[in-house]
Amino acid sequence: MTTTVTSHRPRPAAQPESLRTKRLPRYAAPAIALAALLVAAVVVYGAGIGGPVLVVVLGALLYLVGLFVAAKAVEGPRAARNRTWSALIHSAFVLAVLPLASVAWTLISKGVERLDGDFFLTSMNNIGARDPNGGAYHAIIGTLEQVGVAALISVPLGILCAIYIVEYGRGKFAFAIRFFVDVMTGIPSIVSGLFVLAFWVLVVSPWFNDGRPSFSGFAAALALSVLMLPTVVRSTEEMLRLVPAPLREGAYALGVPKWKTILRVVLPTALPGIVTGVMLAVARAAGETAPVLLVAGGGASINFNPFENNQSSLALFVYQQAGDASRYAPARAWAAALTLVALVLILTIAAKLLARRNRLGR
């Protein structure tokens, strides 16, 4: 006789209607945004109180209010607050990206007009106001040499200073170094140029130039290094502090000396962040105009020697062309600005790839 046992499992009870979560449909947020922009446009243009910028700002405010009201009516107060704060965060991101995108679009749209072989392979020597030719070859050479020399001076000094502050510095001396580094961070660029002008150009350079002061690209590099140094120190210091202490302790437990631990463990771990700080310093130095104008003097001809005679830079070239009366000068200025941004971008990408390759290769 076969007995069949039937298992009766209790079925899950139906979820009460009061516990079900109601949500706004997916099209609700875009619809509210479109309605907010339309209402803002009607109000702004109808009253004649502004333009597209005011329409966007007022539309964003109306969108936040409308989204909160709709979400509160359908989803409840808690979900409404969550949606509103999420919208605020996304709006902040858009507001941060819009100026950058606007600058990039302006540079590209106005700078491509003169991006040709003549611009990259010729200088402004013997170029008159009615001559459409002329380029920024001399300024590109000057920027590369000045920023390169400044990096050779400031990057090793900055990294060594940060290592001392984090790994060795104690007491009042380390506090004094941090204080002066913070003060140097806020120094205007023209002050660094005046310092190098008073010290190097007027006092030191006459020793090498038959008693006469002389401008040079090296003097500009000294002024730029003064600006780069605090950025390198502060960024490297913060990156070194982020290295976990157990990494150091593990190396010490294996009997590795402190200097070797810093060289082989701490610095490689913090390398990507250090590279980012260095490239920020390079970007600031490449875009400075006042120090180069004060101690390098500028110039229209090509000068490959940074230790003698005047030398120009891309930032100074943009400044000079923007103030030139020639109708061909604005196109050169926009092309030089685009070249400067592209140069910094290329250097940053190359440095990041190099740091990533070294980190993966260990």
Side-chain angles (χ1 to χ4, degrees), residues 52-71:
V53 176
L54 185 59
V55 170
V56 173
V57 173
L58 183 59
L61 294 176
L62 293 176
Y63 167 71
L64 293 174
V65 174
L67 182 64
F68 178 80
V69 172

PDB file of all heavy atoms in Angstrom, residues 52-71:
ATOM      1  N   PRO A  52      19.407  83.672 -21.679  1.00  0.00           N
ATOM      2  CA  PRO A  52      19.428  82.214 -21.502  1.00  0.00           C
ATOM      3  C   PRO A  52      19.988  81.769 -20.150  1.00  0.00           C
ATOM      4  O   PRO A  52      19.527  80.765 -19.597  1.00  0.00           O
ATOM      5  CB  PRO A  52      20.325  81.739 -22.657  1.00  0.00           C
ATOM      6  CG  PRO A  52      20.294  82.837 -23.654  1.00  0.00           C
ATOM      7  CD  PRO A  52      20.146  84.086 -22.881  1.00  0.00           C
ATOM      8  N   VAL A  53      20.973  82.476 -19.624  1.00  0.00           N
ATOM      9  CA  VAL A  53      21.552  82.068 -18.342  1.00  0.00           C
ATOM     10  C   VAL A  53      20.519  82.140 -17.235  1.00  0.00           C
ATOM     11  O   VAL A  53      20.372  81.208 -16.417  1.00  0.00           O
ATOM     12  CB  VAL A  53      22.778  82.942 -18.007  1.00  0.00           C
ATOM     13  CG1 VAL A  53      23.325  82.579 -16.635  1.00  0.00           C
ATOM     14  CG2 VAL A  53      23.857  82.775 -19.066  1.00  0.00           C
ATOM     15  N   LEU A  54      19.766  83.231 -17.196  1.00  0.00           N
ATOM     16  CA  LEU A  54      18.723  83.375 -16.176  1.00  0.00           C
ATOM     17  C   LEU A  54      17.626  82.340 -16.379  1.00  0.00           C
ATOM     18  O   LEU A  54      17.044  81.837 -15.400  1.00  0.00           O
ATOM     19  CB  LEU A  54      18.147  84.787 -16.211  1.00  0.00           C
ATOM     20  CG  LEU A  54      17.121  85.122 -15.115  1.00  0.00           C
ATOM     21  CD1 LEU A  54      17.740  84.934 -13.733  1.00  0.00           C
ATOM     22  CD2 LEU A  54      16.594  86.536 -15.279  1.00  0.00           C
ATOM     23  N   VAL A  55      17.329  81.990 -17.620  1.00  0.00           N
ATOM     24  CA  VAL A  55      16.329  80.952 -17.887  1.00  0.00           C
ATOM     25  C   VAL A  55      16.778  79.618 -17.301  1.00  0.00           C
ATOM     26  O   VAL A  55      15.987  78.905 -16.662  1.00  0.00           O
ATOM     27  CB  VAL A  55      16.082  80.826 -19.406  1.00  0.00           C
ATOM     28  CG1 VAL A  55      15.241  79.593 -19.705  1.00  0.00           C
ATOM     29  CG2 VAL A  55      15.393  82.059 -19.938  1.00  0.00           C
ATOM     30  N   VAL A  56      18.044  79.287 -17.493  1.00  0.00           N
ATOM     31  CA  VAL A  56      18.555  78.020 -16.964  1.00  0.00           C
ATOM     32  C   VAL A  56      18.540  78.017 -15.437  1.00  0.00           C
ATOM     33  O   VAL A  56      18.137  77.033 -14.800  1.00  0.00           O
ATOM     34  CB  VAL A  56      19.983  77.766 -17.497  1.00  0.00           C
ATOM     35  CG1 VAL A  56      20.596  76.547 -16.818  1.00  0.00           C
ATOM     36  CG2 VAL A  56      19.959  77.565 -19.001  1.00  0.00           C
ATOM     37  N   VAL A  57      18.971  79.132 -14.829  1.00  0.00           N
ATOM     38  CA  VAL A  57      19.001  79.196 -13.359  1.00  0.00           C
ATOM     39  C   VAL A  57      17.597  79.103 -12.788  1.00  0.00           C
ATOM     40  O   VAL A  57      17.324  78.314 -11.865  1.00  0.00           O
ATOM     41  CB  VAL A  57      19.694  80.501 -12.910  1.00  0.00           C
ATOM     42  CG1 VAL A  57      19.581  80.663 -11.399  1.00  0.00           C
ATOM     43  CG2 VAL A  57      21.153  80.488 -13.324  1.00  0.00           C
ATOM     44  N   LEU A  58      16.673  79.901 -13.319  1.00  0.00           N
ATOM     45  CA  LEU A  58      15.300  79.856 -12.829  1.00  0.00           C
ATOM     46  C   LEU A  58      14.651  78.513 -13.126  1.00  0.00           C
ATOM     47  O   LEU A  58      13.892  77.981 -12.292  1.00  0.00           O
ATOM     48  CB  LEU A  58      14.488  80.987 -13.471  1.00  0.00           C
ATOM     49  CG  LEU A  58      13.032  81.130 -13.017  1.00  0.00           C
ATOM     50  CD1 LEU A  58      12.963  81.363 -11.516  1.00  0.00           C
ATOM     51  CD2 LEU A  58      12.335  82.257 -13.772  1.00  0.00           C
ATOM     52  N   GLY A  59      14.943  77.933 -14.284  1.00  0.00           N
ATOM     53  CA  GLY A  59      14.407  76.613 -14.603  1.00  0.00           C
ATOM     54  C   GLY A  59      14.905  75.549 -13.654  1.00  0.00           C
ATOM     55  O   GLY A  59      14.150  74.636 -13.273  1.00  0.00           O
ATOM     56  N   ALA A  60      16.184  75.639 -13.239  1.00  0.00           N
ATOM     57  CA  ALA A  60      16.719  74.669 -12.285  1.00  0.00           C
ATOM     58  C   ALA A  60      16.015  74.772 -10.937  1.00  0.00           C
ATOM     59  O   ALA A  60      15.671  73.765 -10.313  1.00  0.00           O
ATOM     60  CB  ALA A  60      18.219  74.887 -12.118  1.00  0.00           C
ATOM     61  N   LEU A  61      15.758  76.012 -10.492  1.00  0.00           N
ATOM     62  CA  LEU A  61      15.056  76.189  -9.221  1.00  0.00           C
ATOM     63  C   LEU A  61      13.628  75.649  -9.305  1.00  0.00           C
ATOM     64  O   LEU A  61      13.149  74.959  -8.393  1.00  0.00           O
ATOM     65  CB  LEU A  61      15.050  77.670  -8.842  1.00  0.00           C
ATOM     66  CG  LEU A  61      16.413  78.288  -8.514  1.00  0.00           C
ATOM     67  CD1 LEU A  61      16.273  79.786  -8.245  1.00  0.00           C
ATOM     68  CD2 LEU A  61      17.060  77.595  -7.329  1.00  0.00           C
ATOM     69  N   LEU A  62      12.942  75.973 -10.404  1.00  0.00           N
ATOM     70  CA  LEU A  62      11.576  75.464 -10.571  1.00  0.00           C
ATOM     71  C   LEU A  62      11.554  73.946 -10.687  1.00  0.00           C
ATOM     72  O   LEU A  62      10.630  73.284 -10.186  1.00  0.00           O
ATOM     73  CB  LEU A  62      10.932  76.100 -11.813  1.00  0.00           C
ATOM     74  CG  LEU A  62      10.670  77.607 -11.740  1.00  0.00           C
ATOM     75  CD1 LEU A  62      10.126  78.105 -13.064  1.00  0.00           C
ATOM     76  CD2 LEU A  62       9.707  77.926 -10.606  1.00  0.00           C
ATOM     77  N   TYR A  63      12.573  73.381 -11.317  1.00  0.00           N
ATOM     78  CA  TYR A  63      12.652  71.922 -11.436  1.00  0.00           C
ATOM     79  C   TYR A  63      12.795  71.265 -10.071  1.00  0.00           C
ATOM     80  O   TYR A  63      12.135  70.254  -9.774  1.00  0.00           O
ATOM     81  CB  TYR A  63      13.826  71.545 -12.337  1.00  0.00           C
ATOM     82  CG  TYR A  63      14.189  70.085 -12.283  1.00  0.00           C
ATOM     83  CD1 TYR A  63      13.364  69.114 -12.850  1.00  0.00           C
ATOM     84  CD2 TYR A  63      15.357  69.665 -11.652  1.00  0.00           C
ATOM     85  CE1 TYR A  63      13.692  67.770 -12.796  1.00  0.00           C
ATOM     86  CE2 TYR A  63      15.697  68.330 -11.602  1.00  0.00           C
ATOM     87  CZ  TYR A  63      14.857  67.387 -12.165  1.00  0.00           C
ATOM     88  OH  TYR A  63      15.188  66.056 -12.103  1.00  0.00           O
ATOM     89  N   LEU A  64      13.657  71.831  -9.210  1.00  0.00           N
ATOM     90  CA  LEU A  64      13.831  71.266  -7.880  1.00  0.00           C
ATOM     91  C   LEU A  64      12.537  71.340  -7.069  1.00  0.00           C
ATOM     92  O   LEU A  64      12.151  70.380  -6.397  1.00  0.00           O
ATOM     93  CB  LEU A  64      14.960  71.992  -7.146  1.00  0.00           C
ATOM     94  CG  LEU A  64      16.370  71.796  -7.712  1.00  0.00           C
ATOM     95  CD1 LEU A  64      17.368  72.681  -6.967  1.00  0.00           C
ATOM     96  CD2 LEU A  64      16.795  70.343  -7.625  1.00  0.00           C
ATOM     97  N   VAL A  65      11.866  72.476  -7.160  1.00  0.00           N
ATOM     98  CA  VAL A  65      10.606  72.617  -6.423  1.00  0.00           C
ATOM     99  C   VAL A  65       9.545  71.653  -6.970  1.00  0.00           C
ATOM    100  O   VAL A  65       8.849  70.964  -6.205  1.00  0.00           O
ATOM    101  CB  VAL A  65      10.115  74.078  -6.498  1.00  0.00           C
ATOM    102  CG1 VAL A  65       8.729  74.208  -5.857  1.00  0.00           C
ATOM    103  CG2 VAL A  65      11.096  75.002  -5.797  1.00  0.00           C
ATOM    104  N   GLY A  66       9.431  71.587  -8.297  1.00  0.00           N
ATOM    105  CA  GLY A  66       8.439  70.691  -8.887  1.00  0.00           C
ATOM    106  C   GLY A  66       8.728  69.236  -8.606  1.00  0.00           C
ATOM    107  O   GLY A  66       7.807  68.443  -8.337  1.00  0.00           O
ATOM    108  N   LEU A  67      10.017  68.851  -8.662  1.00  0.00           N
ATOM    109  CA  LEU A  67      10.375  67.464  -8.374  1.00  0.00           C
ATOM    110  C   LEU A  67      10.058  67.109  -6.924  1.00  0.00           C
ATOM    111  O   LEU A  67       9.558  66.017  -6.641  1.00  0.00           O
ATOM    112  CB  LEU A  67      11.861  67.247  -8.665  1.00  0.00           C
ATOM    113  CG  LEU A  67      12.392  65.819  -8.465  1.00  0.00           C
ATOM    114  CD1 LEU A  67      11.727  64.871  -9.450  1.00  0.00           C
ATOM    115  CD2 LEU A  67      13.905  65.784  -8.650  1.00  0.00           C
ATOM    116  N   PHE A  68      10.327  68.027  -6.012  1.00  0.00           N
ATOM    117  CA  PHE A  68      10.052  67.754  -4.598  1.00  0.00           C
ATOM    118  C   PHE A  68       8.551  67.599  -4.364  1.00  0.00           C
ATOM    119  O   PHE A  68       8.112  66.679  -3.654  1.00  0.00           O
ATOM    120  CB  PHE A  68      10.613  68.880  -3.736  1.00  0.00           C
ATOM    121  CG  PHE A  68      10.342  68.704  -2.262  1.00  0.00           C
ATOM    122  CD1 PHE A  68      11.117  67.854  -1.499  1.00  0.00           C
ATOM    123  CD2 PHE A  68       9.292  69.379  -1.655  1.00  0.00           C
ATOM    124  CE1 PHE A  68      10.862  67.684  -0.139  1.00  0.00           C
ATOM    125  CE2 PHE A  68       9.028  69.220  -0.306  1.00  0.00           C
ATOM    126  CZ  PHE A  68       9.823  68.364   0.454  1.00  0.00           C
ATOM    127  N   VAL A  69       7.760  68.476  -4.954  1.00  0.00           N
ATOM    128  CA  VAL A  69       6.310  68.404  -4.757  1.00  0.00           C
ATOM    129  C   VAL A  69       5.747  67.120  -5.349  1.00  0.00           C
ATOM    130  O   VAL A  69       4.938  66.417  -4.714  1.00  0.00           O
ATOM    131  CB  VAL A  69       5.638  69.645  -5.382  1.00  0.00           C
ATOM    132  CG1 VAL A  69       4.114  69.504  -5.356  1.00  0.00           C
ATOM    133  CG2 VAL A  69       6.057  70.906  -4.638  1.00  0.00           C
ATOM    134  N   ALA A  70       6.179  66.772  -6.560  1.00  0.00           N
ATOM    135  CA  ALA A  70       5.660  65.558  -7.191  1.00  0.00           C
ATOM    136  C   ALA A  70       6.086  64.314  -6.440  1.00  0.00           C
ATOM    137  O   ALA A  70       5.290  63.388  -6.223  1.00  0.00           O
ATOM    138  CB  ALA A  70       6.128  65.500  -8.648  1.00  0.00           C
ATOM    139  N   ALA A  71       7.365  64.253  -6.032  1.00  0.00           N
ATOM    140  CA  ALA A  71       7.837  63.078  -5.303  1.00  0.00           C
ATOM    141  C   ALA A  71       7.179  62.956  -3.934  1.00  0.00           C
ATOM    142  O   ALA A  71       6.876  61.856  -3.471  1.00  0.00           O
ATOM    143  CB  ALA A  71       9.359  63.150  -5.150  1.00  0.00           C
TER     144      ALA A  71
END
